[in-house]
Amino acid sequence: MAHIPENIFPIHDRSLSREDRERLLEQKGLCLWFTGLSGSGKSTIALELEKSLYNSGWKSMLLDGDNVRTGLNNNLGFSQEDRKENIRRIAEVNHLMIEAGLIVLNSFVSPTEEIRSLAREIVGEKNFKEVFVNTPLEICEARDVKGLYKKARAGEIKNFTGIDSPFETPEKPFLDLKTEHKTPQECVEEILNALKL
Ligand code: ADP
């Protein structure tokens, strides 16, 4: 049960329900949670998927570091506490967007089982589809899209996931997406098939 602050009285019989909103949008609200190393392809795949969904008439919203860290979470850093708060807020936003009937795509490293469990708990098990963007570290590092691995190896970035901070392999992802020998579009097809969309 969610923590309810003092003097806040949630209205349980709101005139419109999630089901009403979903009926209007002709779809079910859902959270797709992309987890994986930096450079594994989370954003590339999520962006492609978003375009594909849009072209087929699905209503979605993509959340990633670019639109979350610059606004809602621009007062948070990268300490353990702040990383947890970052994910907590993102998950709460998912909760609201799902109530609105949207398909929410999330692109965040979210390296630990603890942090992913927190998101799953807030979003709700049945709404939460974890997609493990499974790309070997060597490949992510060779791509080094943002030059971050080079900096981490040089000691210029501390606690970088995959280098000096662990990435815990998801235990039971909805989809274990092995990207190594696939194009982003093939990855998108695999997700759409798994979702039966
Ligand atoms: P992340 O969001 O996980 O940090 P990015 O999406 O920013 O990763 O970067 C992934 C890079 O890998 C991009 O340059 C992309 O073009 C490339 N890439 C190659 N093959 C794939 C694939 N099958 N899926 C996703 N990205 C791929």
Side-chain angles (χ1 to χ4, degrees):
M1 181 64 193
H3 167 71
I4 298 170
E6 208 180 340
N7 298 329
I8 297 287
F9 301 95
I11 303 166
H12 291 294
D13 57 347
R14 288 181 184 270
S15 50
L16 285 176
S17 66
R18 169 175 171 178
E19 288 70 27
D20 294 323
R21 295 171 207 279
E22 289 181 333
R23 205 173 306 119
L24 184 69
L25 297 185
E26 298 180 327
Q27 65 178 40
K28 299 265 183 226
L30 190 67
C31 160
L32 271 178
W33 193 277
F34 292 91
T35 175
L37 292 167
S38 175
S40 59
K42 300 180 297 298
S43 295
T44 304
I45 294 168
L47 284 163
E48 281 286 318
L49 176 62
E50 193 183 33
K51 264 190 273 169
S52 246
L53 290 171
Y54 179 89
N55 288 335
S56 304
W58 301 103
K59 290 91 185 167
S60 70
M61 181 65 192
L62 169 61
L63 300 178
D64 59 17
D66 288 351
N67 62 12
V68 170
R69 283 253 179 209
T70 53
L72 176 69
N73 290 354
N74 67 5
N75 62 332
L76 299 178
F78 291 89
S79 66
Q80 282 306 93
E81 197 186 334
D82 277 7
R83 280 173 192 265
K84 203 167 163 188
E85 178 60 10
N86 181 45
I87 296 296
R88 188 192 70 78
R89 289 185 199 171
I90 292 163
E92 290 289 0
V93 170
N94 271 260
H95 182 70
L96 294 173
M97 287 188 175
I98 290 168
E99 284 289 313
L102 294 175
I103 298 169
V104 196
L105 315 180
N106 296 271
S107 171
F108 300 101
V109 176
S110 39
T112 63
E113 205 50 51
E114 186 195 357
I115 228 159
R116 295 187 295 261
S117 297
L118 172 69
R120 183 184 288 109
E121 198 179 303
I122 293 170
V123 171
E125 180 78 42
K126 67 180 190 312
N127 303 315
F128 191 84
K129 306 280 182 208
E130 187 177 85
V131 178
F132 175 28
V133 183
N134 189 350
T135 310
L137 173 66
E138 310 79 71
I139 293 186
C140 299
E141 192 168 357
R143 287 177 183 161
D144 209 3
V145 190
K146 298 171 185 163
L148 297 176
Y149 284 96
K150 193 159 174 255
K151 283 191 184 170
R153 289 287 184 201
E156 290 164 31
I157 306 175
K158 292 274 170 243
N159 301 321
F160 193 73
T161 305
I163 305 297
D164 55 353
S165 179
F167 180 85
E168 296 172 6
T169 302
E171 284 165 15
K172 282 190 199 149
F174 165 71
L175 185 63
D176 182 352
L177 190 58
K178 296 188 174 66
T179 72
E180 199 177 343
H181 303 294
K182 293 171 194 152
T183 64
Q185 195 51 46
E186 286 170 333
C187 294
V188 167
E189 291 301 325
E190 199 171 325
I191 297 167
L192 292 172
N193 285 337
L195 289 170
K196 301 187 175 70
L197 289 180

